[in-house]
Amino acid sequence: MTSPPGNSTEIDSSRADFTPVTDKALAALPLERGAASSVALEGITKSYGPVTAIRDLTLEARAGEFLVLLGPSGCGKTTALRLVAGLEDPTSGTVRIGGRVVNDVDAKDRDVAMVFQSYALYPHLSVGRNIEFPLRARQVPASQRRQLVATVAESLRLEQLLDRKPAQLSGGQRQRVALARAIVRRPRAFLMDEPLSNLDAQLRVQMRAELVELHTRVDITILYVTHDQVEAMTMGQRIAILNEGVLQQLDTPEAVYRRPANAFVAGFVGSPPMNILRGRAVAEDDALWVAVPGGRVGLSPPLVRAVEDRALREVVVGLRPEALSLDPNGTIAAAVSLVELVGHEQHVALRLPGGQLVWIRMGSEAPRMRTGQDVRIAATGTVHLFDPQTGNLIEVGNE
Amino acid sequence: MRAEHRNARPHEERHVKGTFALRRPVRRIARYALLVGMAVVVAFPIYITVVNALLPSAQIGARPPTLFPTHPQWGSFRAAFSEAHLGIYLRNSAIVTIGITAAQLITSVLAAYAFVFLRFPARRVIFMVCIATLMVPLEATILPNYRTIEMLGWYNTFPALIVPFVGSGIGIFLFRQAFLGLPRDLRDAATLDGYGHLRFLTRVVLPLNRPVTAAFGIYAFLTAWNQYLWPLLVTQTNSVRTVQIGLRQLSISNFNQLDVVFAGTVLGALPIFVLLFVFQRQLVRGLTAGALKG
């Protein structure tokens, strides 16, 4: 019924060995400064028969940058990575690595390394042999191979595990072996395809920190694919958000959060997501409001101007959960549907009269609310305005 | 330790065990009796063959039959080589069998690899055709194959014995199923690590599929070694006759030393027994290793 004792100790030991990577070990990594290259996709389209996975995608990871490709499953982000790796050929467009067009260069000659979600370790080879595998293909002399493997193993704390088989390792250890196998080649760029998805939550947070640390101290270009917006926000220097094969926005995490290019990005980034409400522009009490289910949302003067300039009747407003608060005099009526206490704060889902849910964020010290309780809320933070036709953010000058 | 464990059990459980204890020996005896019976049925002809090989020729077929040779005559085994050309037959069988086994392994592995890891037009259709060959019995292909061999001038040569069997539908199917179990990421990882198809096949795919390789190798070897109809049709002289055909020739000719024929039969079957004994262990080990990989 309970797991055998050997099992639990193994997990414990895998936890215990999570000491931070040492500077000395990192400095010894076989990655010279300047080895990192930029990676660029220019006007890439990729179709599989009638299905278009990527449509006219242009983006560039600068040399040494940590760029995250973020999007829901099936948005084409993994395909983009495989195009860079050379595992797929684009239907049209140009792939550049370090400024050089590599469309006709074989995958093995592109000099990029990939870390897979499944780790893709060779099950029949020991850890040492796994790390050594790419060096053997490149006919690196044995003495040099041994030295490189030893250095990389030390920097990723794998030196005790070199003789083990992948099956004997914990998830975190396998992840580090996959990383070691990528690093040992000194590639121009690292491509990572959801590398942390198979780890449990705690380990994921630790590996996240380790990857960021690795990147800040060694000069490497990382193209990192994930569907997890928390990973994207915490790790990426810039984030490229894709949906249905189309690039939605490419910017810093902060900019993506503060000024989402469209309603999709707004709804995808942030947890809980931004509340997107569809409403009508109405003039009441000598002011312009957006009438939404359950009440109305006030607009700042620049937003009012924007609505008037465009003569919009329909408007889509976006409100982050922290931009809403409970207020007895609030302009929107709603009923409490669900309360999630997440330690330092509460996320409360409120149901509007039309049935739509809106999330608000509150401190954990605020009194717990009952399900079904009627409340009023007010928009106290930034109101985003989106074009009802295109979904694009309506930019206003001074926000 | 087990007894202690039982004593520690509560009273009712011991009672239940008691009824089992009554029934179990009966069942066990029945089961073993059945197994022994089947073993006798299978082993008796083999035993009689060995016994007859050790009897003087005149005593073979006598009544009552001799079930245990009191004065074994080992000379028949030597005679099988010196008088009945067994050495040549065994050599021929070895050439043909090893040739067929090696060829089937190579072609099946390569074809299965292509079906799994390469993209080419009509892949599914071609695979279906390969599978469909399993449904064509040997008898149906004998005539066209015979005419082809004749046309090529291969009658009574080793190519006639080997070439018609270099491909195997079962082999392609078995290896394809095994290769499908490999994660695609492994191929991608190996590609980026700098390994082309052939090196990926030899360094990763085959080491990971030892059990199926061993299993199919044995199957191919047994089938090839035991072939009878085809070798009978396309051989005419001892220089290419396999063991099965050679022994048949002996027994129907006026060669009247039956003990030598039996000795030859024993020697002809020996490689199969050795192979099974040696590889049974290999097979089990391969399968266990696969299970532990989990």
Side-chain angles (χ1 to χ4, degrees):
Chain A
M1 237 157 48
T2 52
S3 56
N7 218 3
S8 58
T9 49
E10 195 185 306
I11 289 165
D12 285 343
S13 71
S14 75
R15 285 277 153 67
D17 68 11
F18 257 102
T19 51
V21 180
T22 61
D23 281 345
K24 190 179 130 266
L26 277 175
L29 279 181
L31 293 157
E32 300 101 12
R33 292 229 153 246
S37 297
S38 64
V39 172
L41 298 174
E42 291 164 7
I44 291 283
T45 295
K46 174 66 184 174
S47 307
Y48 300 95
V51 184
T52 302
I54 291 181
R55 206 182 299 270
D56 195 22
L57 175 65
T58 297
L59 60 81
E60 179 177 11
R62 303 174 190 128
E65 186 177 23
F66 196 135
L67 179 70
V68 177
L69 301 183
L70 174 68
S73 56
C75 73
K77 54 194 191 300
T78 296
T79 306
L81 213 58
R82 295 174 62 86
L83 286 164
V84 173
L87 296 170
E88 308 271 354
D89 292 322
T91 308
S92 63
T94 309
V95 182
R96 283 178 197 271
I97 295 173
R100 173 170 160 241
V101 176
V102 294
N103 284 43
D104 296 325
V105 177
D106 276 350
K108 67 174 163 55
D109 299 323
R110 290 197 184 183
D111 206 6
V112 296
M114 194 152 167
V115 178
F116 297 84
Q117 181 178 354
S118 64
Y119 316 134
L121 301 179
Y122 307 109
H124 59 301
L125 299 179
S126 66
V127 167
R129 289 291 208 132
N130 260 286
I131 300 174
E132 197 187 20
F133 203 69
L135 300 178
R136 279 178 171 264
R138 286 169 173 73
Q139 270 131 33
V140 177
S143 59
Q144 207 180 331
R145 280 201 316 255
R146 263 197 304 279
Q147 201 205 323
L148 281 170
V149 170
T151 317
V152 173
E154 191 202 347
S155 69
L156 289 165
R157 303 182 317 283
L158 293 165
E159 62 271 55
Q160 308 296 323
L161 307 173
L162 287 176
D163 293 327
R164 297 234 194 127
K165 291 282 173 69
Q168 297 167 289
L169 304 180
S170 70
Q173 290 166 340
R174 283 180 212 183
Q175 178 62 70
R176 291 208 304 272
V177 176
L179 221 49
R181 188 178 63 186
I183 290 174
V184 79
R185 278 173 46 191
R186 291 178 272 187
R188 293 159 157 271
F190 286 81
L191 311 175
M192 304 195 178
D193 189 4
E194 311 235 2
L196 307 185
S197 302
N198 285 356
L199 301 176
D200 65 50
Q202 205 182 339
L203 217 48
R204 201 168 348 172
V205 173
Q206 275 165 325
M207 283 304 296
R208 220 156 71 191
E210 288 200 17
L211 274 179
V212 170
E213 196 178 20
L214 190 71
H215 177 259
T216 53
R217 297 185 192 193
V218 231
D219 187 28
I220 50 179
T221 307
I222 298 182
L223 217 59
Y224 186 105
V225 159
T226 183
H227 64 269
D228 182 342
Q229 53 101 14
V230 177
E231 266 177 32
M233 297 291 285
T234 53
M235 300 174 78
Q237 289 176 321
R238 287 192 302 158
I239 305 177
I241 295 137
L242 279 87
N243 186 36
E244 292 177 349
V246 178
L247 181 65
Q248 308 290 313
Q249 188 169 8
L250 172 55
D251 217 325
T252 61
E254 194 184 21
V256 165
Y257 191 80
R258 290 199 189 286
R259 293 195 308 123
N262 55 41
F264 174 82
V265 174
F268 197 77
V269 175
S271 173
M274 184 186 278
N275 300 297
I276 309 283
L277 299 172
R278 206 165 255 278
R280 273 177 304 106
V282 291
E284 287 172 15
D285 308 336
D286 297 330
L288 191 66
W289 303 79
V290 178
V292 296
R296 57 189 189 177
V297 177
L299 297 177
S300 62
L303 288 178
V304 170
R305 258 197 314 279
V307 172
E308 284 172 344
D309 287 352
R310 290 171 175 76
L312 292 174
R313 300 177 143 256
E314 293 269 308
V315 187
V316 174
V317 290
L319 292 154
R320 289 270 173 216
E322 57 270 26
L324 289 169
S325 54
L326 290 181
D327 182 349
N329 303 316
T331 54
I332 305 170
V336 176
S337 171
L338 179 73
V339 179
E340 286 181 353
L341 180 63
V342 280
H344 62 291
E345 60 185 22
Q346 306 182 46
H347 302 155
V348 182
L350 304 169
R351 198 169 289 283
L352 300 180
Q356 193 186 349
L357 280 183
V358 298
W359 287 93
I360 67 170
R361 197 191 293 273
M362 301 192 326
S364 59
E365 71 286 349
R368 295 292 294 269
M369 282 179 292
R370 293 189 324 277
T371 304
Q373 186 182 349
D374 285 323
V375 293
R376 295 193 77 80
I377 48 176
T380 47
T382 309
V383 177
H384 299 269
L385 218 54
F386 298 100
D387 186 296
Q389 256 79 51
T390 61
N392 290 338
L393 183 74
I394 295 173
E395 301 252 16
V396 287
N398 51 341
E399 242 203 296
Chain B
M1 235 176 91
R2 246 181 108 180
E4 267 176 39
H5 198 66
R6 253 186 218 175
N7 288 341
R9 286 286 160 103
H11 184 75
E12 337 48 285
E13 248 180 79
R14 223 186 307 159
H15 178 72
V16 173
K17 271 201 157 44
T19 53
F20 267 121
L22 270 179
R23 240 166 47 199
R24 211 191 263 155
V26 180
R27 259 204 214 167
R28 198 180 278 179
I29 287 166
R31 194 182 298 152
Y32 276 107
L34 189 70
L35 288 175
V36 167
M38 294 196 308
V40 168
V41 169
V42 172
F44 186 72
I46 300 169
Y47 174 75
I48 283 298
T49 309
V50 176
V51 168
N52 284 349
L54 298 175
L55 291 175
S57 202
Q59 217 176 311
I60 296 169
R63 277 164 204 275
T66 317
L67 288 180
F68 189 80
T70 41
H71 306 287
Q73 315 252 313
W74 296 97
S76 57
F77 286 95
R78 207 179 314 118
F81 282 99
S82 57
E83 292 167 41
H85 318 292
L86 195 76
I88 295 168
Y89 296 151
L90 281 174
R91 183 206 68 179
N92 294 345
S93 267
I95 291 171
V96 171
T97 305
I98 290 169
I100 290 177
T101 307
Q104 286 196 355
L105 277 171
I106 292 168
T107 57
S108 300
V109 163
L110 290 177
Y113 183 89
F115 283 126
V116 174
F117 291 102
L118 304 183
R119 282 185 207 154
F120 52 91
R123 184 166 63 152
R124 293 184 71 88
V125 176
I126 297 171
F127 177 66
M128 286 304 180
V129 170
C130 287
I131 291 299
T133 62
L134 292 178
M135 281 181 262
V136 181
L138 176 71
E139 287 77 3
T141 59
I142 275 186
L143 203 58
N145 275 350
Y146 186 84
R147 301 204 59 165
T148 309
I149 293 300
E150 222 176 19
M151 231 165 56
L152 293 168
W154 283 359
Y155 183 73
N156 203 38
T157 62
F158 283 119
L161 290 163
I162 296 172
V163 174
F165 303 101
V166 294
S168 163
I170 294 181
I172 293 170
F173 177 73
L174 274 179
F175 282 111
R176 177 181 176 268
Q177 297 314 107
F179 295 172
L180 280 176
L182 287 178
R184 258 212 95 85
D185 282 354
L186 279 187
R187 171 68 202 134
D188 292 339
T191 303
L192 292 176
D193 282 345
Y195 287 77
H197 287 296
L198 204 58
R199 285 209 293 174
F200 174 63
L201 177 65
T202 53
R203 301 283 179 83
V204 180
V205 176
L206 287 180
L208 284 173
N209 285 288
R210 285 214 183 98
V212 67
T213 311
F216 178 69
I218 292 167
Y219 169 81
F221 191 96
L222 290 183
T223 316
W225 186 270
N226 288 332
Q227 270 200 352
Y228 183 73
L229 186 55
W230 180 257
L232 184 66
L233 283 176
V234 297
T235 57
Q236 199 178 27
T237 60
N238 282 341
S239 63
V240 291
R241 271 184 191 141
T242 57
V243 169
Q244 326 302 345
I245 309 308
L247 290 174
R248 175 70 185 151
Q249 290 300 322
L250 277 184
S251 61
I252 60 171
S253 68
N254 47 11
F255 187 80
N256 57 0
Q257 289 171 271
L258 268 181
D259 58 332
V260 177
V261 176
F262 277 111
T265 309
V266 171
L267 291 170
L270 211 57
I272 298 293
F273 282 110
V274 172
L275 186 81
L276 278 183
F277 278 122
V278 170
F279 273 91
Q280 203 171 23
R281 225 174 270 156
Q282 293 276 93
L283 270 179
V284 171
R285 196 158 14 119
L287 292 174
T288 329
L292 289 177
K293 248 175 231 157

